[in-house]
């Protein structure tokens, strides 16, 4: 029989789950597949998404079961114990939140998958979770999805009760965004840049919550997966501070290695750990033609909210604009460094700036777009910056 502590835990969690708003990923995940993994940075709403899905189909406590991998139940029980009991009670879908907090998770998930072919499994975990490492390779069993924070469009719907559809990058670039003329986006946009990327952005003391996410990611999440020593963690923090002070940062591996007193060969690994953990984003060139394989041209703080907090509430506005553009467009598109300007997407060059930004740097572009902050409407090859937040 399923431990009543787990049943009561699930009931309490589901009762507290908001259902009014659903994230962009809900229609992209094949929820009926045998094993689904949902990863992403801390605080972006992974747990809420999977609990909403349970609520949609919940008919009986014993058909679906939601557990957290750090529940006290697992102090003297295993995941395989739970799965065996759940199947014996007629269970159909097991949802395991924060799987990275369970030692040996990959080996046991593989065993559960192979032993119970009729059981569907959903698990969530840290964005640096690697299903190809650990006790077992789950890459042939689990379909993985990477979740990001709120787009500007999602923020408007979730917090301001303003509903707009998602638009393709082509529609945005061609200024085909349609909305009520009574809607004035700029005041909302400024609020979003400060605290709208995370679903908890409207809660009190957002800055403290963000500092906690930063510390836990650097001090707990990354070291757990990379087997780092405390001294290495301090180097990681130093690297993050160096990047945040000048982002977008043009990486110089030798200079970073000297400043941090580490091997030059370790610098790219540190950057990858920070990127996977949702702390930074690396803008690469088009040499490889594939995502995440080109040469790194610039390093950005991952999102405008994190950038604002790390800058003590006063980020450089020019850097903030570029951070927003990269953060919002990378979810649905391959964004690469431009040789003549800021960004390139699908062969189109984008130059990001303020309301008076000109076309000078786009003179040699086959097709160039000026992306301007502080304007509501666009025309021809001038596009408002905020509209790129409608991409997902």
């Amino acid at each position: 029989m399923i431990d009543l502590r787990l049943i009561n835990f699930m009931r309490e969690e589901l009762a507290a789950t908001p259902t009014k708003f659903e994230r962009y990923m809900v229609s992209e995940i094949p929820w009926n597949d045998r094993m689904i993994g949902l990863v992403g940075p801390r605080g972006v709403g992974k747990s809420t998404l999977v609990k909403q899905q349970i609520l949609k189909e919940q008919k009986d406590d014993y058909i679906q079961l939601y557990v957290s991998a750090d529940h006290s139940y697992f102090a003297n029980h295993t995941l395989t114990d739970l799965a065996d009991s759940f199947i014996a009670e007629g269970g159909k879908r097991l949802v395991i939140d924060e799987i990275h907090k369970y030692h040996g998770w990959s080996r046991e998930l593989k065993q559960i998958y192979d032993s119970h072919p009729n059981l569907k499994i959903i698990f969530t975990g840290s964005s640096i979770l690697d299903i190809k490492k650990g006790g077992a390779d789950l890459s042939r069993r689990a379909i993985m999805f990477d979740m990001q924070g709120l787009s500007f469009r999602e923020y408007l719907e979730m917090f301001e009760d303003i509903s707009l559809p998602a638009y393709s990058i082509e529609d945005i670039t061609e200024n085909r965004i349609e909305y009520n003329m009574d809607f004035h986006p700029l005041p909302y946009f400024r609020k979003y840049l400060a605290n709208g990327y995370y679903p908890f952005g409207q809660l009190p003391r957002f800055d403290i919550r963000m500092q906690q996410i930063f510390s836990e990611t650097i001090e707990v999440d990354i070291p757990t997966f990379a087997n780092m020593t405390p001294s290495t963690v301090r180097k990681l923090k130093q690297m993050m501070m160096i990047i945040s002070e000048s982002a977008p940062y043009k990486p110089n591996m030798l200079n970073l290695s000297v400043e941090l007193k580490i091997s030059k060969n370790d610098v790219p690994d540190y950057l990858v750990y920070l990127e996977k953990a949702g702390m930074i984003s690396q803008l690469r060139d088009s040499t490889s033609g594939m995502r995440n394989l080109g040469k790194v041209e610039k390093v950005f703080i991952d999102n405008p909210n994190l950038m604002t907090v790390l800058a003590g509430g006063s980020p450089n506005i020019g850097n903030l604009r570029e951070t927003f553009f990269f953060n919002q467009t990378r979810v649905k598109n391959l964004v690469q460094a431009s040789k003549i300007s800021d960004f390139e997407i699908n062969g189109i060059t984008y130059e990001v700036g303020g309301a008076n930004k000109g076309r000078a740097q786009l003179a040699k572009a086959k097709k160039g777009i000026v992306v301007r902050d502080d304007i509501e409407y666009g025309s021809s090859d001038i596009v408002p910056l905020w509209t790129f937040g409608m991409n997902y």
Side-chain angles (χ1 to χ4, degrees):
M1 183 174 178
I2 302 299
D3 193 308
L4 286 178
R5 290 178 297 168
L6 296 179
I7 298 297
N8 290 332
F9 171 78
M10 178 178 69
R11 288 172 177 169
E12 291 175 3
E13 287 290 314
L14 295 182
T17 300
T19 57
K20 181 182 177 182
F21 175 76
E22 289 185 339
R23 295 298 309 283
Y24 75 101
M25 291 197 69
V26 70
S27 61
E28 299 179 7
I29 298 176
W31 295 102
N32 286 320
D33 271 40
R34 281 195 61 196
M35 182 178 284
I36 295 167
L38 181 62
V39 299
R42 284 179 178 264
V44 297
K46 302 181 297 294
S47 299
T48 298
L49 181 65
V50 295
K51 285 185 283 189
Q52 285 177 336
Q53 192 62 28
I54 293 173
L55 283 169
K56 280 185 178 181
E57 302 180 19
Q58 187 77 332
K59 298 180 178 65
D60 189 307
D61 284 339
Y62 294 97
I63 298 299
Q64 298 187 100
L65 181 63
Y66 168 87
V67 300
S68 179
D70 61 354
H71 193 282
S72 59
Y73 168 86
F74 294 109
N76 51 13
H77 296 83
T78 65
L79 282 173
T80 52
D81 290 338
L82 175 61
D84 292 343
S85 298
F86 186 47
I87 285 291
E89 296 290 338
K92 300 296 183 182
R93 180 157 64 178
L94 179 60
V95 180
I96 309 163
D97 206 1
E98 299 194 285
I99 193 71
H100 56 278
K101 295 183 177 180
Y102 184 95
H103 181 69
W105 59 271
S106 60
R107 184 182 295 106
E108 291 200 38
L109 283 186
K110 178 181 181 295
Q111 183 177 338
I112 293 169
Y113 181 96
D114 294 342
S115 301
H116 302 294
N118 294 321
L119 178 65
K120 293 181 173 61
I121 305 162
I122 299 173
F123 62 90
T124 74
S126 166
S127 54
I128 59 176
L129 199 72
D130 192 340
I131 62 169
K132 294 182 180 180
K133 293 182 179 179
D137 182 355
L138 293 174
S139 61
R140 290 170 295 161
R141 294 170 174 82
I143 302 177
M144 300 298 295
F145 295 87
D146 193 351
M147 188 169 177
Q148 301 296 309
L150 297 172
S151 66
F152 179 45
R153 182 193 71 82
E154 290 184 302
Y155 163 81
L156 288 172
E157 184 172 346
M158 185 173 183
F159 294 117
E160 307 292 352
D161 203 26
I162 298 171
S163 182
L164 295 170
Y167 286 87
S168 69
I169 193 70
E170 291 78 17
D171 284 338
I172 294 170
T173 299
E174 296 296 329
N175 285 304
R176 291 199 286 261
I177 304 293
E178 297 181 0
Y179 55 92
N180 191 310
M181 296 302 290
D182 292 333
F183 169 58
H184 298 287
L186 298 184
Y188 300 114
F189 183 52
R190 286 188 281 271
K191 288 168 63 178
Y192 171 84
L193 293 177
N195 61 0
Y197 184 71
Y198 293 89
F200 59 86
Q202 304 301 301
L203 295 177
R205 300 315 308 264
F206 174 74
D207 56 335
I208 292 179
R209 296 174 190 273
M210 284 299 301
Q211 290 288 355
Q212 290 173 338
I213 282 181
F214 173 77
S215 296
E216 290 169 355
T217 300
I218 300 294
E219 296 172 5
V220 179
D221 293 352
I222 297 177
T224 297
F225 288 95
N227 296 317
M228 288 183 172
T229 64
S231 62
T232 308
V233 173
R234 287 193 292 272
K235 302 294 185 184
L236 210 59
K237 276 190 171 182
Q238 284 180 265
M239 176 179 280
M240 193 68 187
M241 289 302 102
I242 291 170
I243 293 171
S244 68
E245 289 169 1
S246 56
Y249 176 80
K250 177 70 174 177
N252 184 307
M253 302 306 177
L254 179 58
N255 289 349
L256 268 177
S257 67
V258 171
E259 190 162 357
L260 295 173
K261 296 182 175 61
I262 61 175
S263 167
K264 179 183 175 182
N265 295 331
D266 289 335
V267 173
D269 290 339
Y270 284 22
L271 290 172
V272 168
Y273 289 139
L274 289 170
E275 183 176 39
K276 285 188 174 182
M279 293 288 99
I280 64 170
S281 294
Q282 299 187 83
L283 181 66
R284 296 168 170 86
D285 65 17
S286 59
T287 53
S288 73
M290 295 179 67
R291 190 185 298 269
N292 295 335
L293 291 180
K295 177 187 174 184
V296 176
E297 293 293 334
K298 291 181 182 179
V299 180
F300 290 81
I301 297 301
D302 181 75
N303 63 78
N305 294 182
L306 181 59
M307 182 180 184
T308 299
V309 169
L310 293 178
S314 301
N316 177 279
I317 186 61
N319 297 345
L320 192 66
R321 292 170 183 141
E322 292 186 34
T323 298
F324 170 80
F325 181 91
F326 187 25
N327 172 267
Q328 297 286 281
T329 55
R330 71 185 184 191
V331 174
K332 296 288 186 179
N333 311 277
L334 176 58
V335 186
Q336 296 173 317
S338 169
K339 295 178 181 178
I340 59 176
S341 186
D342 293 325
F343 304 95
E344 183 176 310
I345 304 173
N346 299 333
I348 299 176
T349 304
Y350 295 84
E351 173 72 15
V352 181
N356 298 316
K357 187 68 178 181
R359 299 179 175 83
Q361 287 184 262
L362 297 174
K364 296 182 180 180
K366 185 176 181 181
K367 180 175 182 180
I369 298 295
V370 177
V371 181
R372 290 183 180 175
D373 191 10
D374 291 332
I375 63 171
E376 284 193 9
Y377 315 106
S379 64
S380 184
D381 59 354
I382 298 175
V383 183
L385 177 62
W386 69 266
T387 60
F388 290 90
M390 301 291 112
N391 198 209
Y392 72 92

